[in-house]
Amino acid sequence: MRPAEKTRQFIKNASINSNPEVNEAVLKNLFDELDKSKDIPRDAPEPNIWRIIMKGRLSKLAAAAVIIFAALLALNFFDKTSGIVWADVVKRLEDIKTVAYKITTDIKGMPGTPEGYTTHITQDVTLSYEQGAVRIDSSLQVPSGTRKLHTYILFEDRVLVTLMPAAKKYVEVTIGDDEQMAKMEEEKGDPVTLLKAMLEHDYTELGRKTIDGVKAWGIEVSDPKLGIKMGPLISGGMFEETTVQLWVDERHKLPIRIKATGSSKDGQASMETVYDNFQWDIKIEPALLKPEIPDDYELLTQGKWETGNEGEEIIDVLRLFVEYADGKYPASLKTMTVAKAIAPALKKRFPPGSPEPSKELLARFMKVDRVGMMYTTLEKDGKDPAYYGDKVSAESPEAVLFRWKIDEDTYRVVFGNLRTEDVSAEKLAELEALSNIKEK
Amino acid sequence: MDLQSLVASGKKAKRETEDYINHHIHDQTKGWPVLSRIAKDFASKWESLVLEDKLLVWKFKHGSKDALRHIYEKYRDDLLRIAAGLLNDTSTAEDIVQDVFVVFVRSAKQFHLTGSLKGYLARCVANRARNVNLSRRRRQTVRMDDIEPIASDFKRPDQWIICSEEFTKLSSAMTDLPYEQREAVILHIHGGMKFREIGKLQDVSGKTAQSRFRYGFNKLRSILGIEVAK
């Protein structure tokens, strides 16, 4: 045998043994871990957005928000049914196999950012209808610097993965069952469905103008006409006031620019977002849309998105205001309003350096991200929700704070002290009259 | 049926099983791969033939303790050897391997096997060992919990690794090698990793990883010359 082979053999043969008793003890511990992981309800952990926020002294809300934005936007790209007035445009879009575009968003008044600070977010979206996959590379400018995120959504696998390179962490979210998937696909947001939803409403013709040297014509729809079909970012519960403009390249019959503006009722938070740089039917390497998670990345959390329990989830969010904000509820259930209302209380309760909240509490905090979506889902599903947080606090224990329909003849009423009661429509009218509130 | 046919049957079954798993791994309602396409009397032999990593992982992801035990017993000693070889410190090596298994179990639901399971686990061990090594360079003394949180509170009852005389000699010789060379040698020989994979881990090209292996290996040969000649 040659010396090199002898050396290799020596290395190979240099063995270790493991203590059998310890082997069994470690294995038993692993079994315990496996049992524990089975005990965790599948829907308990959610995208650990608030953990990021808490660690970053609330200044990372922008980062958190973009995960949600990116995810929700991309989730809504897969409805391609037609039947629309602008048949040419819709037909053109239905033939599209791939698209890449850029989203630029400026948000003022993000919770945790200095007053007057504008959070600038850019997102490069790459989407393949053929592969059923989306990739969104996001870059956020927040007070502490620039953060980059890479989000992948694989529809066949019903999974969403967001990588956070700087932190070497990632979030994985699975998307419920077929029913849930179908529901999410109904909620639009992409150029195709935006166009359809706008045309279903009374839109305003903006006429023609030249955008980047291209002749385009556009339409505009403003709140309150916008419904959830406009997509979660634009009208799915982020802001009270929203306006969307869509411009189409006259020659090619394809969208060239989408612009949306939104603001909170008190005017303290606002957003302007532009979709442009559309590139249609480009070649996309399959590997580009496949997440590669480096081995040293830690799974921050896993979650599951599903619907059907929105009312109860909203009550859980409201309970946070009793526990941490002296029972002063948010003025509305728009995500931005709720986040801004709870952020100071949480900041006070969990100052930098304090022990991190428990996982259960974090899971509850994270529901804030979806509260607007949950409320608009109740609306969309015909559950006739109403919320009176601008008039009712925990100090009015018998006043109606929130209600929604749980079946044909019954409403679930949530009072100022968060007690719930199921009542008939007549009884509800009586209770609301006694509460001295008006339905919004 | 002769052995050759049995092996062919097993290979076919393995291929079909892998195809099945690849297509249905996210769909628990589909259940266990259907055996109907495989002769029934070969079912038990088939199982032993295809009990490879993908199947083990599939079972493990569906909560099988047997599969976890199988994985653990299959790779435990290899991982301990890799960790101990990289660090020349059995106690820290034990912590690392225990931790890698705990994290593996905890992330079962999200785990997707794209390559070899051994390679994956070896990389996890190597990454953690590398972090320990980096911290050691920065600080003279280091505790495991200074580096990264230990995944489990579980305390092992006793010393886990029992080194052979050869391993002790090898481990001692390894300390004379720069860490990257040591890593390349151990991961290639004990971890069965390709140079391309090692290069990825070390953030260098496969060729550079190969060069590191060659330099390390030659130096080791020189140091161990006497021992090997015996």
Side-chain angles (χ1 to χ4, degrees), chain B residues 27-39:
Chain B
D27 190 348
Q28 295 186 21
T29 63
K30 300 285 181 188
W32 186 247
V34 180
L35 295 176
S36 60
R37 283 175 290 177
I38 299 146

Side-chain angles (χ1 to χ4, degrees), chain A residues 83-323:
Chain A
I84 299 299
V85 184
W86 289 357
D88 287 353
V89 181
V90 172
K91 189 171 183 319
R92 285 285 286 124
L93 286 169
E94 282 181 347
D95 292 338
I96 295 298
K97 301 282 190 301
T98 63
V99 60
Y101 58 95
K102 192 179 206 67
I103 304 176
T104 310
T105 306
D106 285 326
I107 302 180
K108 281 184 188 166
M110 273 278 203
T113 57
E115 198 175 340
Y117 184 84
T118 299
T119 304
H120 183 67
I121 304 167
T122 57
Q123 294 172 288
D124 291 305
V125 182
T126 312
L127 158 67
S128 167
Y129 289 103
E130 287 177 318
Q131 281 188 59
V134 182
R135 172 176 171 153
I136 304 168
D137 296 317
S138 307
S139 173
L140 292 87
Q141 283 172 13
V142 291
S144 51
T146 302
R147 306 197 186 287
K148 291 188 185 299
L149 302 165
H150 306 292
T151 298
Y152 301 81
I153 296 138
L154 309 176
F155 281 79
E156 194 178 345
D157 296 341
R158 293 179 186 163
V159 68
L160 177 152
V161 176
T162 293
L163 307 182
M164 307 169 193
K168 290 195 169 185
K169 292 182 191 300
Y170 70 101
V171 173
E172 187 171 283
V173 178
T174 53
I175 302 152
D177 52 16
D178 288 339
E179 193 184 344
Q180 166 63 8
M181 194 70 189
K183 268 195 160 188
M184 295 190 114
E185 288 182 2
E186 280 172 17
E187 294 160 8
K188 328 288 191 212
D190 66 302
V192 184
T193 48
L194 264 172
L195 170 63
K196 285 165 60 183
M198 290 176 81
L199 293 170
E200 283 172 3
H201 290 102
D202 292 334
Y203 55 86
T204 307
E205 285 280 1
L206 295 173
R208 289 169 173 77
K209 77 170 179 181
T210 302
I211 298 174
D212 299 333
V214 175
K215 284 183 183 172
W217 48 276
I219 54 172
E220 178 180 288
V221 176
S222 295
D223 213 30
K225 301 182 189 78
L226 299 176
I228 192 165
K229 285 185 176 183
M230 300 305 294
L233 170 60
I234 294 172
S235 67
M238 287 302 292
F239 294 103
E240 279 92 352
E241 309 290 339
T242 312
T243 299
V244 183
Q245 291 181 355
L246 184 139
W247 294 90
V248 174
D249 173 353
E250 274 189 302
R251 187 175 163 209
H252 296 103
K253 304 284 188 289
L254 286 168
I256 184 170
R257 178 173 293 173
I258 297 166
K259 182 180 173 184
T261 53
S263 59
S264 60
K265 208 171 186 178
D266 59 10
Q268 288 186 3
S270 62
M271 171 199 77
E272 180 174 310
T273 187
V274 174
Y275 298 36
D276 59 8
N277 288 351
F278 288 98
Q279 299 170 68
W280 307 95
D281 277 338
I282 53 168
K283 188 170 184 238
I284 298 174
E285 292 297 329
L288 185 73
L289 302 177
K290 192 180 168 196
E292 286 287 337
I293 304 171
D295 294 333
D296 57 346
Y297 275 36
E298 184 192 341
L299 177 70
L300 187 61
T301 188
Q302 65 175 128
K304 188 172 180 180
W305 285 349
E306 56 189 351
T307 56
N309 200 26
E310 290 83 7
E312 303 299 335
E313 298 274 47
I314 289 173
I315 296 175
D316 204 26
V317 171
L318 293 173
R319 203 166 283 125
L320 292 171
F321 285 84
V322 174
E323 293 168 22

Side-chain angles (χ1 to χ4, degrees), chain B residues 10-199:
Chain B
K11 282 183 177 171
K12 183 179 173 226
K14 175 173 178 277
R15 206 165 46 243
E16 286 176 355
T17 307
E18 286 181 350
D19 286 348
Y20 183 94
I21 290 170
N22 288 336
H23 281 96
H24 299 286
I25 201 154
H26 299 295
D27 190 348
Q28 295 186 21
T29 63
K30 300 285 181 188
W32 186 247
V34 180
L35 295 176
S36 60
R37 283 175 290 177
I38 299 146
K40 282 180 185 170
D41 52 337
F42 287 104
S44 59
K45 287 168 185 169
W46 164 82
E47 173 122 357
S48 67
L49 280 169
V50 298
L51 262 184
E52 292 190 13
D53 292 349
K54 275 204 170 180
L55 203 46
L56 282 172
V57 168
W58 191 90
K59 285 181 168 184
F60 162 64
K61 281 168 72 75
H62 288 73
S64 164
K65 286 187 178 173
D66 280 347
L68 174 58
R69 175 186 284 276
H70 206 113
I71 292 169
Y72 172 74
E73 288 177 349
K74 191 172 178 184
Y75 295 122
R76 176 196 60 220
D77 288 357
D78 282 341
L79 298 182
L80 286 169
R81 186 161 65 159
I82 290 169
L86 288 172
L87 294 169
N88 195 27
D89 170 358
T90 54
S91 175
T92 308
E94 290 167 353
D95 284 344
I96 281 178
V97 174
Q98 182 184 331
D99 225 31
V100 164
F101 274 118
V102 169
V103 171
F104 176 64
V105 170
R106 285 182 183 169
S107 60
K109 286 198 176 81
Q110 305 84 49
F111 182 72
H112 298 291
L113 183 61
T114 52
S116 105
L117 179 57
K118 183 180 178 181
Y120 168 79
L121 293 170
R123 278 199 303 280
C124 292
V125 167
N127 278 328
R128 284 171 185 263
R130 177 175 278 236
N131 289 344
V132 171
N133 187 55
L134 285 171
S135 296
R136 280 177 176 168
R137 282 187 200 169
R138 286 197 295 266
R139 299 165 57 177
Q140 287 302 306
T141 57
V142 63
R143 296 181 309 142
M144 267 298 287
D145 51 4
D146 288 335
I147 301 150
E148 53 190 306
I150 299 293
S152 171
D153 295 333
F154 173 75
K155 302 289 177 212
R156 289 181 307 278
D158 206 347
Q159 189 177 336
W160 197 6
I161 298 175
I162 303 161
C163 298
S164 66
E165 194 181 335
E166 289 82 6
F167 187 84
T168 307
K169 283 172 185 166
L170 174 65
S171 201
S172 169
M174 284 279 188
T175 56
D176 287 346
L177 265 55
Y179 189 81
E180 285 74 16
Q181 291 180 15
R182 195 188 321 167
E183 198 174 52
V185 170
I186 288 174
L187 292 179
H188 185 62
I189 295 181
H190 288 166
M193 285 171 67
K194 292 173 183 163
F195 293 122
R196 182 171 44 81
E197 295 171 314
I198 298 170

